[in-house]
Amino acid sequence: PADPAAPAADEPVKLRIYAAYFDDDTKKPYDYAVAELKKEMPNVELVLDPAMQDDGQKLRTYAASGNMPDIFQADFKTMKAFAESKNIEMLDNAAPTAQFKSDLNPGNEPIMIAPDGHIYSYPFAGIEFQLLYYNKKLFAEAGVEAPIKTYDQWKDAIQKFKAKGIVPMAIFSKEKWIGNSFYKGLLTREEPQGYAALTGTELPDSFKLAAQQFNELKEAGLFDANATNTNYDQASSMFYTGKAAMFVNGQWEIYSSDKNLGADVDWMYWPAKDEATYAAAKFNMDGSGEPGGFSIAPTSKNKDTAIEVAAFLARKYAEYKYTQLGNPIVSVKIDKPIVAKPPAMMQRLIDETLPNIKNFAKLNENIKINTAIDDNTQNLIVKGFSDQDFTKNLNRVLADANK
């Protein structure tokens, strides 16, 4: 039977949506999806509440104050916390779920099905990963050979950039996840499983080595002194305006970097302790297939409509990325042709990387461990916090979490 409280199909419905909307990577798919939604569900009006670049802080405040948007963009950490606090709708049996699941691209199940077996969001991206971007012109000016393959080459490059007054790497470490990703990039050279390997009560040697490398790169001057107060807009601007030689971000950054730097930009794989390790570990990717996408608040007054809209938006985001950007790293199969020629950096990824990926670093399901890695990788960027501090703090959390 029809839900008597549900609005009629042509009755206007206003939904508040909390979604990333701060650059071309986030604005363009949103605008495209909204335009498509107007054709499909003209009675639905979306009120955008732009997501802050704040590691989910604003969303947690909304949850605590009972002011949740109808639809919100969530990562795994948010999902897990909100599942415990009952601030996220479980979508296992929701109307669009079965079809959405059957339309997933091969291997993409982990981005929809959480480790607990439940579904909390409709994903639009495929399994994404972090890359190191670099300015070819600045590398040439400083006499640095690209790509950097070893850790010693990296330390040598830092000195050459500093001698030229160039910031070696821009990083937006006001957000904790990017320092975490930087650390995980170093870790994948030694431990392809990523954080899933943290099963004991003490930090394994591969993790200690990554922390040591991170700390030594910091001490050598890799990061800007203000890195932990720098947001994405500021860090990307440093890179795009030629003030920084390198930038760390996901493969989605290809489009903005290409637009801003053109032929001067390329990306490289994560360096390793030596060339043999680099060659062996090159295709162990710094990224994980963890759930993420559009989720729904259980408190939504138009929950069924919000669920339909969230699934629709996720499909249209994927459609935009695939057809308009030539980006194959999307959640679901798209039956429309690609209309854009991908930038050279994306074409290289399609030809060279995607067919050869060996592993994606896996996530650790324990929230305490994840929070400790987030906090302590951000701390590693700050002078005066050492890899020994990192190890000590993680050991304390692991002893408690895995006892």
Side-chain angles (χ1 to χ4, degrees):
D3 176 359
D10 54 354
E11 228 175 88
V13 178
K14 196 178 268 196
L15 297 173
R16 185 168 132 236
I17 178 169
Y18 185 79
Y21 193 82
F22 57 85
D23 61 357
D24 281 357
D25 294 333
T26 51
K27 287 178 177 175
K28 287 188 169 179
Y30 179 85
D31 291 342
Y32 176 87
V34 170
E36 292 294 309
L37 182 71
K38 275 196 168 60
K39 297 178 206 167
E40 188 77 15
M41 301 183 207
N43 61 312
V44 174
E45 184 195 340
L46 283 186
V47 180
L48 175 65
D49 182 352
M52 302 288 284
Q53 299 170 45
D54 66 352
D55 280 322
Q57 189 54 54
K58 188 175 172 184
L59 207 48
R60 287 194 292 277
T61 305
Y62 282 155
S65 61
N67 182 30
M68 284 295 287
D70 299 276
I71 301 167
F72 56 94
Q73 219 170 311
D75 59 10
F76 174 63
K77 199 164 75 170
T78 303
M79 273 178 219
K80 187 141 175 150
F82 281 13
E84 284 172 20
S85 62
K86 306 282 188 285
N87 280 302
I88 194 166
E89 183 72 10
M90 201 186 282
L91 302 169
D92 301 16
N93 303 311
T97 297
Q99 190 58 54
F100 202 103
K101 201 159 45 167
S102 77
D103 290 341
L104 287 173
N105 276 317
N108 274 346
E109 289 73 21
I111 60 167
M112 185 168 182
I113 303 163
D116 65 5
H118 294 298
I119 292 167
Y120 299 101
S121 75
Y122 296 112
F124 48 85
I127 298 181
E128 302 192 296
F129 43 88
Q130 274 64 52
L131 297 166
L132 295 170
Y133 296 85
Y134 68 97
N135 185 320
K136 294 195 264 192
K137 201 162 136 198
L138 295 183
F139 266 58
E141 275 175 26
V144 176
E145 204 177 313
I148 295 169
K149 293 181 181 178
T150 70
Y151 174 65
D152 286 339
Q153 287 168 8
W154 212 351
K155 286 207 290 191
D156 178 57
I158 291 169
Q159 300 317 315
K160 287 177 174 168
F161 290 126
K162 283 172 70 182
K164 291 272 183 189
I166 298 163
V167 173
M169 175 176 280
I171 188 169
F172 45 101
S173 272
K174 194 168 186 178
E175 293 186 67
K176 292 178 183 176
W177 74 266
I178 195 68
N180 180 328
S181 288
F182 184 85
Y183 174 74
K184 193 163 57 181
L186 300 171
L187 180 66
T188 54
R189 306 302 82 174
E190 301 288 325
E191 178 44 85
Q193 293 301 303
Y195 299 146
L198 288 174
T199 54
T201 54
E202 280 204 17
L203 204 63
D205 287 345
S206 53
F207 285 76
K208 290 179 189 169
L209 177 65
Q212 184 190 330
Q213 290 173 337
F214 194 136
N215 190 53
E216 286 180 11
L217 290 166
K218 180 255 314 263
E219 291 295 334
L222 180 63
F223 308 112
D224 183 58
N226 204 31
T228 53
N229 290 315
T230 303
N231 67 20
Y232 169 80
D233 294 337
Q234 294 161 327
S236 58
S237 172
M238 280 170 75
F239 184 56
Y240 301 157
T241 55
K243 293 185 179 74
M246 289 173 278
F247 187 47
V248 57
N249 203 1
Q251 93 293 320
W252 58 83
E253 169 64 37
I254 282 174
Y255 300 94
S256 290
S257 279
D258 180 70
K259 181 181 157 190
N260 284 281
L261 288 164
D264 285 340
V265 65
D266 203 353
W267 56 263
M268 52 189 170
Y269 299 98
W270 289 81
K273 65 186 176 195
D274 52 46
E275 296 225 15
T277 309
Y278 173 83
K282 193 160 115 172
F283 295 111
N284 292 333
M285 305 312 286
D286 172 16
S288 51
E290 57 188 65
F294 289 119
S295 299
I296 291 87
T299 49
S300 172
K301 290 184 173 64
N302 297 298
K303 196 155 66 177
D304 289 349
T305 306
I307 289 170
E308 292 287 348
V309 169
F312 182 86
L313 292 176
R315 285 181 182 275
K316 292 300 168 183
Y317 262 58
E319 185 174 289
Y320 176 83
K321 286 170 178 283
Y322 182 80
T323 62
Q324 308 299 311
L325 300 175
N327 179 356
I329 306 169
V330 292
S331 57
V332 287
K333 298 181 186 83
I334 306 296
D335 58 5
K336 293 186 177 177
I338 292 175
V339 295
K341 185 173 184 288
M345 284 191 289
M346 177 53 80
Q347 196 59 55
R348 187 181 146 213
L349 209 60
I350 292 166
D351 296 341
E352 174 191 314
T353 311
L354 298 180
N356 291 306
I357 289 174
K358 283 189 190 171
N359 290 287
F360 285 105
K362 293 180 177 61
L363 61 96
N364 191 297
E365 292 169 45
N366 188 298
I367 286 284
K368 282 183 182 163
I369 294 174
N370 283 324
T371 303
I373 295 169
D374 263 354
D375 292 344
N376 287 284
T377 49
Q378 188 184 45
N379 289 341
L380 265 175
I381 289 176
V382 182
K383 290 268 186 210
F385 185 91
S386 71
D387 53 298
Q388 284 93 344
D389 296 326
F390 179 91
T391 299
K392 190 175 69 191
N393 291 353
L394 262 295
N395 278 345
R396 196 170 55 236
V397 173
L398 289 170
D400 179 48
N402 293 330
K403 63 185 171 205

